[in-house]
Amino acid sequence: MSPSPMATDSTRLKYISLGVLVLQTTSLVLTMRYSRTLKEDGPRYLPSSAVVSAEILKIVACIFLVFRDNTFSLRALNHVLREEIVKKPTEALKLAIPSAIYTFQNNLLYVALSNLDAATYQVTYQLKILTTALFSVSMLGRRLGTYQWLSLLVLMAGIALVQWPVEAAHPPEQTEPSAGSQLVGVLAVLAACCSSGFAGVYFEKILKETIQSVWVRNIQLGIFGLIFGLMIAFVNDGEAIRESGMFRGYNSLTLTVVLLQALGGLVVATVIKYADNILKGFATSLSIILSCIISYLWLEDFDPTSVFFLGTALVIAATFLYGYEGQAKAAGSLQRV
Ligand code: C5P
């Protein structure tokens, strides 16, 4: 029996969204790192301002997607926005928590990438698989199999290896000033792993427990994101903003980072809708390989040691081991149907 056109469509969207996620993750990490370490004449752009700009772009894009889902009718768009957002403030308020966390996380990622090379950052950030698993178990009541627990141990061992040699291999006097402090970078990534795990699971819970569309939910998320983002911008960089404006130091590279970050939000939401968190893990593992190659060949800020390679191989193997059991279970339940 041939699959229905709708099933083919969603399978196509699943693979397209995963492919776009691989490209988006790789290009965001590399351009963000490049834009934070490039030597420039004028003042550098403010990360907090880039987070705000990305949030605005995401809201505009999601409003357009709701408009498209309503056959490009302005009346219908107006109706959906009023009924689903303006008239349901308590529903919208549910998104304030993940939104505050994501805003904090999006700012942390700039701290991480100003202090760590792209490859180390990406491998360490895979620890979010562990935090996501722990939050899924505690908040969604999900059960993990033996292979999945084992894979989480392999993951931690891999990340420890990736982190271990960096300090030993590069005495402080050999690191470039722009590389900053490894410790600050690692702490920022670890905090981002906790926030990513919690916010991702919380968002998934809200999506599964309510009927509102993912784009409406993303508009609600974005509105709070914008409010929190502006608060962080004024608290952290108020003086710089008053002196030289919100968009100081913006150039085409900054705009690319903002565009890629906004695209990331939309792709993550699409992946959660059409694929799942496990496949999202695979996609980020593939993007690690791509980033390592480009970081080494193009940015030349990454000098891999054999211990780094071993650690990266363990992290990637752990991702696949974690997904293997999930996929095997899914295949088993399909066969039983
Ligand atoms: O690394 P992680 O998968 O946690 O990154 C999620 C990113 O996607 C964050 O930048 C967050 O702001 C964004 N996001 C979004 N809309 C969602 C879920 C995540 O914009 N529904």
Side-chain angles (χ1 to χ4, degrees):
M1 205 170 63
S2 58
S4 70
M6 250 168 78
T8 327
D9 253 16
S10 73
T11 311
R12 200 165 46 95
L13 277 169
K14 175 167 132 180
Y15 288 109
I16 292 176
S17 62
L18 284 166
V20 176
L21 185 64
V22 173
L23 296 179
Q24 180 272 337
T25 309
T26 313
S27 16
L28 176 64
V29 167
L30 295 175
T31 29
M32 223 188 220
R33 167 74 183 163
Y34 187 57
S35 70
R36 295 310 294 161
T37 49
L38 187 71
K39 289 192 176 57
E40 284 171 286
D41 293 338
R44 211 189 283 286
Y45 72 91
L46 301 165
S48 59
S49 147
V51 171
V52 167
S53 304
E55 228 39 79
I56 295 173
L57 257 183
K58 250 184 335 195
I59 297 174
V60 172
C62 289
I63 291 178
F64 176 80
L65 287 166
V66 174
F67 183 46
R68 189 204 58 174
D69 287 349
N70 285 279
T71 57
F72 295 101
S73 153
L74 272 178
R75 251 174 97 120
L77 172 69
N78 189 23
H79 179 79
V80 170
L81 294 183
R82 210 147 24 118
E83 292 300 313
E84 299 293 333
I85 296 176
V86 182
K87 289 194 180 168
K88 290 183 181 160
T90 44
E91 275 302 307
L93 262 177
K94 285 185 184 164
L95 273 295
I97 295 169
S99 172
I101 294 171
Y102 272 139
T103 313
F104 172 64
Q105 173 182 324
N106 289 337
N107 280 281
L108 273 179
L109 296 188
Y110 282 95
V111 178
L113 274 162
S114 305
N115 294 287
L116 292 178
D117 65 76
T120 306
Y121 155 81
Q122 271 216 291
V123 182
T124 313
Y125 195 31
Q126 283 302 84
L127 205 59
K128 69 183 172 181
I129 298 176
L130 173 73
T131 54
T132 306
L134 296 180
F135 283 118
S136 299
V137 168
S138 57
M139 287 165 64
L140 299 175
R142 200 164 278 163
R143 292 173 69 117
L144 298 186
T146 323
Y147 282 126
Q148 286 174 317
W149 286 115
L150 184 70
S151 74
L152 296 176
L153 290 179
V154 177
L155 177 77
M156 284 191 287
I159 288 167
L161 283 183
V162 165
Q163 285 304 325
W164 184 257
V166 179
E167 279 168 309
H170 300 282
E173 63 273 16
Q174 281 179 21
T175 48
E176 288 177 29
S178 64
S181 148
Q182 174 91 8
L183 183 67
V184 171
V186 171
L187 289 178
V189 182
L190 293 182
C193 287
C194 294
S195 73
S196 168
F198 179 79
V201 172
Y202 190 104
F203 188 76
E204 190 181 333
K205 198 170 155 72
I206 288 182
L207 265 192
K208 289 188 175 156
E209 286 177 356
T210 55
I211 49 160
Q212 284 185 313
S213 91
V214 67
W215 304 129
V216 168
R217 286 302 191 190
N218 254 24
I219 296 173
Q220 294 168 326
L221 194 73
I223 292 171
F224 285 110
L226 183 58
I227 297 170
F228 292 127
L230 282 170
M231 277 160 53
I232 290 189
F234 281 96
V235 170
N236 266 0
D237 304 311
E239 214 176 298
I241 293 173
R242 271 186 292 275
E243 262 172 30
S244 34
M246 188 83 181
F247 302 105
R248 76 152 213 214
Y250 267 50
N251 55 28
S252 52
L253 196 60
T254 323
L255 292 179
T256 313
V257 171
V258 166
L259 264 175
L260 284 170
Q261 202 173 24
L263 175 71
L266 303 180
V267 181
V268 167
T270 317
V271 166
I272 290 175
K273 188 171 172 197
Y274 292 104
D276 52 44
N277 271 311
I278 296 170
L279 287 167
K280 184 168 163 269
F282 287 165
T284 36
S285 266
L286 286 182
S287 82
I288 290 178
I289 304 175
L290 258 179
S291 301
C292 282
I293 296 172
I294 301 174
S295 193
Y296 175 65
L297 293 178
W298 181 42
L299 289 184
E300 292 175 359
D301 68 344
F302 170 56
D303 185 15
T305 60
S306 47
V307 184
F308 186 95
F309 273 124
L310 179 63
T312 305
L314 284 182
V315 170
I316 292 166
T319 317
F320 283 86
L321 184 63
Y322 184 84
Y324 169 76
E325 189 157 303
Q327 298 296 308
K329 267 188 199 152
S333 57
L334 269 182
Q335 272 165 11
R336 277 194 295 279
V337 169

